[in-house]
């Protein structure tokens, strides 16, 4: 029997939930003044996704600090990002406590990002099981294959854009595995790595559609326009580095037995979380079970 394993990008859900309410100054606080708005939204996202996708197993992956092998390789990686809001900081550890209360494993490994942990677990499970990745991060689309689908959160709760190999090709004009090559060319302003200066998203997709990979593109660099050839040859180091930074690393030394990840979010566990977080109107969570 093939199980359906939902791998959740905890950081993506927590940040999205936090900013959805904090923009209105609604932080929701326990009696000890600890903000809980991000956690409140995270639990809602989990329950909506459970209702929609009906996983047999659920695992949540987290970043474990800002220092990773990528920042060691390129000191400016994500250097354009400011510190998280002070109201969000205490919610990082508290969110993991809540997830543990729901009997969902928390997975992370120092030196790697949540994306790498998700990629590693997806690679470990996908031969024998079906995997669904729940995230708001388009970088994880590179994991899409026949047994790994990616559900991107869209505006509102319970709204998703689900990608399998066919829908990815239809939307992007390339295979999911080629997304790394596109990112190598165009760079990423959010993660702050350069790509090839002067090559934008449209051109990057066009070049990979025509040549398949960065390696094949470089083998045929003489066939490019003079402008494209000049830009690429002047930025070869940045091109190769950006490809390394863009690629999800799928060999993090982690594992999670499926026995520990059986999806058992029930009324008793939800009620315990509601009490611990001191949330009013807890019935809205129970209605999603």
């Amino acid at each position: 029997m093939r199980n359906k394993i939902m791998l959740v990008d905890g950081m993506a859900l927590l940040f999205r939930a936090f900013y959805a309410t904090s923009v209105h100054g609604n932080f929701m606080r326990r009696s000890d003044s600890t903000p809980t708005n991000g956690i409140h939204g995270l639990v809602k996202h989990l329950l909506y996704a459970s209702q929609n996708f009906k996983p047999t197993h659920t695992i949540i992956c987290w970043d474990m600090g800002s220092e990773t092998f990528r920042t060691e390789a390129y000191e400016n990686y994500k250097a354009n990002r400011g510190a998280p809001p002070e109201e969000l900081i205490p919610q990082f550890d508290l969110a993991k406590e809540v997830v543990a209360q729901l009997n969902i494993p928390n997975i992370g490994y120092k030196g790697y990002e949540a994306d790498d942990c998700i990629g590693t677990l997806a690679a470990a499970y996908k031969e024998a099981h079906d995997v669904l990745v729940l995230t708001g991060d388009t970088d994880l689309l590179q994991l899409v294959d026949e047994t790994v689908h990616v559900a991107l959160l869209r505006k509102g709760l319970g709204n998703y854009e689900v990608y399998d190999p066919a829908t990815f090709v239809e939307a992007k004009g390339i295979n999911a595995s080629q997304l790394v090559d596109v990112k190598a060319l165009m760079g990423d302003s959010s993660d702050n790595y350069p790509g090839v200066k002067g090559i934008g998203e449209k051109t990057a997709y066009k070049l990979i559609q025509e040549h398949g990979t960065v390696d094949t593109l470089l083998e045929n660099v003489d066939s490019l326009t003079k402008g494209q050839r000049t830009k690429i040859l002047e930025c070869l180091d940045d091109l190769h580095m950006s490809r390394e930074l863009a690629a999800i690393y799928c060999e993090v030394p982690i594992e999670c037995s499926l026995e520990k990840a059986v999806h058992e979010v029930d009324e008793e566990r939800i009620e315990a979380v509601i009490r611990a977080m001191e949330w009013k109107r807890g019935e809205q969570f129970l209605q999603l079970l």
Side-chain angles (χ1 to χ4, degrees):
M1 174 185 172
R2 293 183 70 87
N3 293 301
K4 189 171 189 178
I5 304 167
M6 185 166 71
L7 302 177
V8 181
D9 183 348
M11 301 304 288
L13 268 64
L14 184 63
F15 270 84
R16 177 178 285 258
F18 174 83
Y19 285 112
T21 51
S22 65
V23 67
H24 303 296
N26 178 17
F27 295 108
M28 306 178 66
R29 295 181 186 271
R30 296 194 306 189
S31 55
D32 63 2
S33 297
T34 304
T36 64
N37 66 311
I39 300 166
H40 187 272
L42 170 69
V43 173
K44 269 192 173 181
H45 277 303
L46 282 174
L47 294 178
Y48 269 100
S50 299
Q51 192 179 68
N52 272 275
F53 300 113
K54 296 179 170 49
T56 58
H57 300 74
T58 301
I59 300 167
I60 299 190
C61 296
W62 302 92
D63 293 342
M64 301 296 286
S66 58
E67 298 297 318
T68 68
F69 75 93
R70 293 181 180 86
T71 57
E72 290 181 5
Y74 181 56
E75 63 179 1
N76 289 321
Y77 181 74
K78 292 189 177 180
N80 55 335
R81 299 189 183 186
E86 62 179 64
E87 294 88 356
L88 178 57
I89 293 171
Q91 297 189 61
F92 291 133
D93 288 338
L94 195 55
K96 294 173 189 173
E97 292 178 23
V98 166
V99 166
Q101 278 186 295
L102 296 175
N103 204 38
I104 298 173
N106 289 297
I107 299 293
Y109 199 87
K110 191 171 177 60
Y112 298 91
E113 297 180 39
D115 289 7
D116 303 311
C117 295
I118 289 171
T120 298
L121 293 175
Y125 297 139
K126 69 180 184 178
E127 295 301 323
H129 309 286
D130 295 322
V131 177
L132 177 82
V133 176
L134 180 66
T135 183
D137 184 356
T138 57
D139 288 344
L140 282 161
L141 289 171
Q142 64 187 268
L143 299 178
V144 168
D145 71 11
E146 291 299 332
T147 58
V148 180
H149 298 173
V150 174
L152 291 181
L153 297 166
R154 290 309 182 208
K155 189 173 182 179
L157 286 160
N159 297 320
Y160 314 96
E161 194 170 353
V162 181
Y163 286 90
D164 59 23
T167 55
F168 186 90
V169 171
E170 183 180 352
K172 306 294 185 181
I174 59 172
N175 294 317
S177 61
Q178 295 173 296
L179 184 58
V180 176
D181 297 274
V182 169
K183 301 274 287 193
L185 286 165
M186 63 181 277
D188 189 314
S189 58
S190 176
D191 287 342
N192 202 43
Y193 56 83
V196 175
K197 187 176 181 180
I199 299 283
E201 181 178 13
K202 185 177 179 180
T203 301
Y205 271 97
K206 182 174 182 293
L207 289 173
I208 296 305
Q209 286 166 359
E210 292 174 350
H211 297 276
T213 66
V214 163
D215 290 337
T216 304
L217 174 66
L218 294 176
E219 290 172 5
N220 296 280
V221 71
D222 289 339
S223 68
L224 303 180
T225 67
K226 182 180 178 181
Q228 291 170 346
R229 183 168 62 249
T230 300
K231 290 170 185 174
I232 289 171
L233 293 179
E234 287 180 351
C235 296
L236 279 178
D237 288 344
D238 283 345
L239 174 61
H240 290 302
M241 177 191 67
S242 294
R243 193 183 192 289
E244 291 297 314
L245 295 174
I248 291 174
Y249 183 76
C250 294
E251 297 182 22
V252 182
I254 56 170
E255 59 182 21
C256 182
S257 68
L258 290 185
E259 289 76 12
K260 294 180 179 179
V262 174
H263 189 87
E264 295 177 329
V265 178
D266 57 22
E267 187 171 322
E268 184 178 347
R269 291 187 172 92
I270 290 294
E271 287 179 339
V273 167
I274 292 169
R275 288 193 299 271
M277 294 298 101
E278 301 174 19
W279 289 330
K280 299 175 182 178
R281 296 180 59 217
E283 68 276 1
Q284 61 182 299
F285 293 101
L286 298 177
Q287 290 169 359
L288 293 171
L289 292 175

